[in-house]
Amino acid sequence: QVQLVESGGGLVQAGGSLRLSCAASGRTFSSYCMGWFRQSPGKEREFVAAISWSGANTYYADSVKGRFTISRDNAKNTVYLQMNSLKSEDTAVYYCAAAPVWATMIREYEYTSWGQGTQVTVSS
């Protein structure tokens, strides 16, 4: 398994941008597919985006498609989530997670490692 640490969260005005990073420890990072999830107060954690081990495949929740971009740098053991045109409903704790295989990518049970999360707050 890999250990994951998110960073880059913060407070931003609606319409603004943030880039989240997730740094992974371990030499096997490049063999994992990576995903981002988020959880708002009182709601279940939901899928945001996923990227395959090579970066060739990506998948997004409809709610963020066209606004968020997931990418990875295997040389730096890091996955990113670029968030543009942020809305108040994007306010949540954002988690990155690692999955050993590319499957549906939207189910939490597909992921074997999770970070602690980073808070994103979008003010309207």
Side-chain angles (χ1 to χ4, degrees), residues 39-102:
Q39 187 168 23
S40 304
K43 295 186 178 181
E44 293 186 353
R45 190 155 53 184
E46 64 175 359
F47 168 78
V48 175
I51 188 166
S52 61
W53 66 270
S54 68
N57 296 307
T58 57
Y59 185 62
Y60 298 92
D62 288 342
S63 58
V64 307
K65 199 173 297 182
R67 300 187 298 122
F68 290 11
T69 302
I70 189 171
S71 62
R72 66 189 297 161
D73 185 337
N74 287 340
K76 296 183 178 180
N77 280 12
T78 302
V79 62
Y80 304 98
L81 185 68
Q82 178 66 44
M83 306 185 295
N84 298 329
S85 302
L86 282 161
K87 306 174 182 180
S88 57
E89 51 262 45
D90 294 318
T91 295
V93 177
Y94 283 71
Y95 300 88
C96 70
V101 296
W102 182 261

Side-chain angles (χ1 to χ4, degrees), residues 1-7 21-25 34-39 45 79 93-99 108 111-119:
Q1 292 189 355
V2 294
Q3 284 72 51
L4 305 172
V5 178
E6 303 94 337
S7 62
S21 299
C22 174
S25 63
M34 299 298 296
W36 285 96
F37 286 73
R38 66 186 182 186
Q39 187 168 23
R45 190 155 53 184
V79 62
V93 177
Y94 283 71
Y95 300 88
C96 70
E108 291 187 38
Y111 296 83
T112 55
S113 299
W114 291 83
Q116 292 301 306
T118 185
Q119 176 71 48

